[in-house]
Amino acid sequence: MTEQICGVVLHNRVAFWWIVALAIALLLVLALILAVSWLFIAGIGIWGVDWPVVWGFAIINYVWWIAIASGGTFISALFYLAGVEWRNSLNRIAETMTIFAVACAGIFPILHLGRPWLFYWLFPYPNTMTLWPQFRSPLLWDFFAILAYVVSSVLFWYFGLIPDFGTMRDRAHKSGVRVLYGILAAGFRGSRVQWRHYRAAYGILAAIMAPLVVSVHSIVGLDFAGAATVGWHSTQFPPFFVFGALLSGFAMVLLLIVPLRRLLGFQDFITGRHFDVLTKLLLVSSLCVDYSYMMEAFMTYYGDDEAERLSFEDKIAGALAPIYWMTIVLNVLLPQIFWLRRARVSEALIMLVSFGVIIGMWCERYQIVVMSLRRPRIPSAWGDFAPTIWDWLTLFGTVGLFAAGLLIALRLVPMISMFEMRDMMTEGKGKDER
Amino acid sequence: MSGDYLVASFASEGAFAIACERLSAEGLGELYPFTPKPIMADRPISSISLFAFVTGMVGVVGGFAMEADANIIAYPLDIGGRPKLSWPSFVPIAFEIGMLLAVIGVIVSFFLFAGVGRLYSPIDDCDLLRRALSDRWVIALRPRSPESSRRARDLCESLGAAEIEEFRHEMESPRSGGAVASQL
C-alpha cells in the first residue's frame, strides 16, 4: 500500500493525461490573470453588475466555491469524529480539494471590493485615521470567517500530511527530494510519544474544524439574511447554506474520485463501498436542500408580503425561470436516482449526477443573488443583469486555478492518507485473524 | 552522549509489543519505539487540549474586546440606532478568531510537546529507521552493558525480529527517550 501510494509521487513518470489536463488548466489560469488584470485597470464596470443587481458573478462564484470547499472538511473532520473508517481513503483528496476551492472562493470577495488593492482595510489594524471596520456587519463577519477557514484548512491539511511526509522522506532516493520532504515532515519520526501527541492534536483539530465549517456557511447565509432584501431576509438561510455546502461538497468529491481512482491506480483503496456511502450522503443532502426549496415557496405564500410573492413568481415563471427550474431538476430530481443501488455504484451515473449537481448549485446561487436583486420592493427600481465576457473568464479562470492546483498537488503529495490506511488495514487484519 | 545501540525491526505489531514489554521488564536499557501508525492502546496526551482551550479562549475574549473597544471607544458610530455595545453582533467574529487561534495553538503545542521541528536527529542515520514510517515496527535500545546488549539481541531474535542492527551514534535526547521508556 505504502509503495503504491508513494510511487505515484516518487516513481511514476509524468502521465500524458496529467500534462494535457495541466495545460488546459493553465490556459484557464491565464484567462483569469487576463480578466483580473483588466479588472484592476478598468474597474468593476467591466462586469455585468449595475444597479439594482450590484452582486453579480463575484458573489455567485464565491458562495459556489466556498460550498464546494466545505465538502472536504465535512468528510475529513466530521466523519473522523464519527469514527467512520471509509473516510481514510477519501480524506486527503477531499482536503486537497478544499484547499484549492477555498483559494478560488477567497479571490472573489476581494475582487468584488471595487478597490481590491485596499482589501487590507477590512483587517482591524491600527491606522493613522483611527478608522475601524464595522464589526456589526455580516460582510465583515464573512471576512473573518473566510480568513479563519482558509488558514485553518491549510493547517489541518498540512497537519494530516506530516506522518506521510515522513514516509516520503524515508523512501525518497534523490537527496533533493529527501530534503524537501524532510523539511515538510518537520522531524516527525513516528516515535511513540510523537504519535500520542499527534493523535491528541488531530482529534482536537477535527473537533474544531467541524463547527468552524458550519459557522463559515452560516455566516455566508447571514450575508444574505442580514439584508432586508426580498428573497434573502429569511431565518432559514444559515442552515440552507450549510445543506447546499454539503450537497456541492459531496458532489465535487465524487466527481474527483471517480476518474482519479483509475488514473492513479487506487481501485483497491477507493471501492464501490465508497461510492455507495458518498452517493447516499449526496442524496440525503439533496433532500435537505429540497426541504429548503419547499420552505422558501411555503413561506412566500404563508406570509403576506406582496414583494416576496412577486419576486418568487418571477423566479418560477419570469424571464429567468429556466435557471430556477434547472436548479430544481439538477439539485432535486437528478439525485433521486441514488435511491437505486445500481445507480449508486455506476461510475458513469455518479459522474453525470455529480456534475449536474455542481452546475445546479451554481444555478441556485445565480437565482439567489440575481433574481432577488433584480426585483426589489419598488417596481420602478426593477432592473436586470447580463454577465459580460469578463465575468465568464473570471469564473472559468478559477475553475482552471482549482484544476491546476489539484493536478500539481497530485504530483507532490500522497493522495491517500497512508498512516490512516495502515491503521485501517491492520485493524481489518486483526478482525480477520480473530 | 554516545554509545552502542541495538536497533531491531519487526514486521508485526504483536511481536513488537511483546518485544517492548519483555525488554522493558528485563530492564536491559532505555527503549525508543518507532511505529508506522499510532498505537491505539496508547491514550492521546491531553496537554494539547488544554493549550488549545487556552489559545481559543484568548482568541474569543481578545476578539470580543477588540470589537467592543473599536465600536464603543475608538470609533463609535450610530448604525441604525443600535446600541454601541451590540454584543450579539460581536459574537461571530470573536468565535472565528477563537477557532483560528485554537487551531494555531494545537499545532504550535504539538510541535513543542512532541519534539517535532528538529529536522535532524542522529537516529536518522540508522538504516532500519527508514522503514519505521512504512512497514516496520522498530525498537532502538540503549543497552546498560554489553551483557544487556547480547541478551537483548537474543531476545529480539527469539521474538522474530526481521532485522537487527548495531548502531553506534548519539541518540535522541534522554528527555524524550526517557519519556518513551517510562510509558512502556
Side-chain angles (χ1 to χ4, degrees):
Chain A
M1 179 275 293
T2 306
E3 176 62 39
Q4 196 180 343
I5 296 169
C6 281
V8 173
V9 179
L10 294 176
H11 305 306
N12 279 14
R13 290 184 60 200
V14 179
F16 181 67
W17 67 263
W18 187 87
I19 296 169
V20 173
L22 187 68
I24 297 168
L26 289 177
L27 266 177
L28 290 170
V29 173
L30 209 64
L32 177 69
I33 294 169
L34 180 75
V36 173
S37 304
W38 182 232
L39 176 83
F40 273 48
I41 295 165
I44 56 169
I46 65 165
W47 287 348
V49 287
D50 200 348
W51 192 262
V53 184
V54 289
W55 283 12
F57 264 38
I59 302 303
I60 296 167
N61 299 340
Y62 155 63
V63 182
W64 183 61
W65 274 121
I66 198 90
I68 288 172
S70 71
T73 316
F74 277 116
I75 288 176
S76 204
L78 213 61
F79 293 118
Y80 175 84
L81 295 175
V84 290
E85 92 293 342
W86 56 260
R87 75 173 265 292
N88 295 342
S89 307
L90 303 174
N91 68 326
R92 184 66 45 72
I93 294 174
E95 281 171 37
T96 311
M97 174 197 87
T98 295
I99 300 298
F100 295 107
V102 88
C104 294
I107 290 171
F108 285 105
I110 292 175
L111 297 182
H112 174 78
L113 289 173
R115 286 185 289 170
W117 50 92
L118 299 177
F119 75 94
Y120 61 90
W121 283 15
L122 285 163
F123 202 79
Y125 69 100
N127 59 77
T128 50
M129 297 179 284
T130 65
L131 196 66
W132 287 81
Q134 179 47 257
F135 291 112
R136 296 183 190 94
S137 165
L139 298 179
L140 193 69
W141 303 353
D142 219 16
F143 170 73
F144 278 91
I146 300 169
L147 183 73
Y149 189 50
V150 169
V151 177
S152 304
S153 297
V154 172
L155 289 175
F156 187 48
W157 178 71
Y158 170 67
F159 192 77
L161 273 163
I162 288 176
D164 287 351
F165 280 143
T167 307
M168 306 282 282
R169 171 199 62 204
D170 294 342
R171 296 181 79 91
H173 296 303
K174 294 176 189 165
S175 63
V177 178
R178 196 179 308 146
V179 168
L180 172 72
Y181 288 113
I183 292 168
L184 291 170
F188 189 88
R189 292 173 186 84
S191 77
R192 203 165 179 174
V193 168
Q194 283 181 341
W195 278 124
R196 288 184 69 186
H197 283 294
Y198 188 84
R199 274 185 67 207
Y202 198 82
I204 300 163
L205 281 180
I208 297 170
M209 290 305 292
L212 184 65
V213 68
V214 173
S215 79
V216 168
H217 284 282
S218 302
I219 286 176
V220 174
L222 286 169
D223 286 347
F224 293 86
T229 304
V230 176
W232 289 0
H233 198 58
S234 163
T235 47
Q236 78 150 348
F237 261 56
F240 168 42
F241 272 55
V242 175
F243 298 152
L246 284 166
L247 180 60
S248 47
F250 291 142
M252 186 56 100
V253 172
L254 278 165
L255 198 61
L256 290 176
I257 63 168
V258 173
L260 282 181
R261 71 190 278 267
R262 285 187 183 276
L263 293 168
L264 302 177
F266 288 166
Q267 289 96 328
D268 291 342
F269 310 119
I270 301 169
T271 62
R273 176 155 185 264
H274 295 96
F275 293 147
D276 190 40
V277 172
L278 272 181
T279 45
K280 277 180 190 166
L281 286 167
L282 189 140
L283 178 62
V284 170
S285 46
S286 164
L287 293 172
C288 293
V289 168
D290 303 350
Y291 170 77
S292 298
Y293 293 163
M294 281 195 300
M295 283 309 291
E296 184 194 14
F298 174 76
M299 291 309 289
T300 300
Y301 292 100
Y302 184 68
D304 60 353
D305 189 330
E306 182 70 5
E308 286 281 354
R309 192 180 59 77
L310 285 174
S311 172
F312 184 72
E313 284 167 2
D314 177 57
K315 267 186 197 178
I316 60 170
L320 299 180
I323 294 176
Y324 180 83
W325 291 109
M326 210 158 127
T327 308
I328 299 295
V329 169
L330 296 174
N331 290 352
V332 177
L333 302 179
L334 203 56
Q336 302 309 317
I337 198 166
F338 287 145
W339 285 101
L340 303 172
R341 189 184 143 68
R342 279 176 68 184
R344 291 201 298 270
V345 290
S346 158
E347 292 184 33
L349 267 176
I350 290 170
M351 287 286 281
L352 184 76
V353 176
S354 304
F355 188 68
V357 166
I358 295 288
I359 303 293
M361 286 307 295
W362 191 85
C363 292
E364 185 207 285
R365 288 11 180 152
Y366 189 95
Q367 53 119 339
I368 289 174
V369 173
V370 174
M371 292 191 186
S372 288
L373 287 175
R374 70 195 283 270
R375 290 289 180 268
R377 289 185 180 277
I378 307 167
S380 62
W382 286 2
D384 236 320
F385 170 77
T388 65
I389 182 73
W390 301 107
D391 283 309
W392 290 111
L393 280 179
T394 317
L395 168 62
F396 289 117
T398 52
V399 173
L401 181 68
F402 174 76
L406 205 65
L407 287 163
I408 292 167
L410 288 181
R411 296 291 315 165
L412 294 176
V413 282
M415 273 298 143
I416 287 184
S417 175
M418 292 185 282
F419 77 95
E420 285 173 301
M421 281 301 285
R422 238 171 258 143
D423 196 36
M424 201 173 86
M425 288 165 83
T426 341
E427 288 264 303
K429 208 172 152 192
K431 275 178 199 162
D432 291 345
E433 280 166 5
R434 280 196 290 274
Chain B
M1 57 167 188
S2 57
D4 289 322
Y5 292 85
L6 185 86
V7 183
S9 76
F10 294 84
S12 78
E13 184 177 0
F16 162 84
I18 294 167
C20 282
E21 209 171 283
R22 294 277 299 276
L23 290 168
S24 179
E26 297 205 13
L28 298 175
E30 280 181 32
L31 290 179
Y32 305 81
F34 298 90
T35 61
K37 67 179 197 70
I39 298 171
M40 286 301 138
D42 286 350
R43 289 183 59 194
I45 297 170
S46 62
S47 46
I48 290 180
S49 58
L50 181 68
F51 207 83
F53 177 76
V54 171
T55 49
M57 286 313 291
V58 166
V60 170
V61 175
F64 191 91
M66 172 192 72
E67 293 178 86
D69 174 66
N71 282 170
I72 295 168
I73 300 160
Y75 191 62
L77 258 186
D78 187 334
I79 305 288
R82 291 182 184 87
K84 283 179 189 167
L85 181 68
S86 12
W87 68 266
S89 306
F90 298 160
V91 170
I93 289 179
F95 174 81
E96 297 296 334
I97 296 175
M99 293 285 111
L100 178 61
L101 285 198
V103 167
I104 293 170
V106 169
I107 294 187
V108 169
S109 59
F110 169 73
F111 271 65
L112 289 176
F113 297 151
V116 179
R118 202 167 41 143
L119 293 185
Y120 173 75
S121 163
I123 193 73
D124 295 338
D125 294 332
C126 172
D127 287 336
L128 287 187
L129 197 78
R130 293 269 169 83
R131 291 180 70 174
L133 276 173
S134 290
D135 56 357
R136 285 285 188 268
W137 300 74
V138 178
I139 301 172
L141 175 83
R142 186 184 172 204
R144 293 195 192 289
S145 62
E147 172 60 17
S148 301
S149 176
R150 199 178 48 75
R151 278 176 57 201
R153 176 180 270 275
D154 291 346
L155 190 66
C156 290
E157 276 174 356
S158 70
L159 291 171
E163 292 125 317
I164 295 177
E165 184 182 335
E166 297 275 351
F167 180 69
R168 179 182 283 274
H169 211 306
E170 195 169 311
M171 295 288 288
E172 282 189 304
S173 74
R175 190 166 153 264
S176 79
V180 174
S182 66
Q183 286 150 19
L184 287 167

